[in-house]
Amino acid sequence: MLIRALLLTFLLSSCADNLLVGFGEDTNYLTFDHPYSEKAIADVRTRAERLCHQRKQEAIKTQSVCSLTNCATSYQCVDKANVIKYGL
């Protein structure tokens, strides 16, 4: 059921240039390939937050690597208690 919801979210996303390239039901990590622009960065952040909130978790950006035109950005879904506990 969760996979269907995530797939639907991915397919209906208006951010066709922002590809979710890594995510699984058994992992808390999200990886996106997207253009290097402020709008794309904000869109990726919003998608990561939405996907993590479906699990009742918070999205924490763990890595972002960019060239002059493209970026690869990773997020981790973390329990809210751990966000407070570790100051994330």
Side-chain angles (χ1 to χ4, degrees):
M1 182 79 151
L2 179 61
I3 291 177
R4 286 183 191 165
L6 294 173
L7 181 60
L8 183 61
T9 301
F10 176 70
L11 293 175
L12 296 178
S13 173
S14 62
C15 310
D17 291 336
N18 305 330
L19 298 177
L20 177 62
V21 294
F23 182 67
E25 187 174 332
D26 59 340
T27 182
N28 290 336
Y29 297 97
L30 307 165
T31 303
F32 296 90
D33 283 340
H34 58 91
Y36 179 53
S37 71
E38 288 186 32
K39 181 184 181 314
I41 291 168
D43 289 344
V44 164
R45 174 74 186 177
T46 301
R47 287 183 64 199
E49 288 174 346
R50 190 175 341 126
L51 290 169
C52 289
H53 283 290
Q54 289 177 354
R55 297 176 164 206
K56 298 180 177 25
Q57 295 178 315
E58 297 293 321
I60 305 295
K61 184 163 72 170
T62 58
Q63 179 180 352
S64 187
V65 178
C66 298
S67 68
L68 294 175
T69 58
N70 294 314
C71 293
T73 303
S74 298
Y75 287 88
Q76 182 176 2
C77 297
V78 179
D79 291 327
K80 293 178 184 181
N82 287 338
V83 171
I84 295 167
K85 182 178 179 180
Y86 298 112
L88 302 174

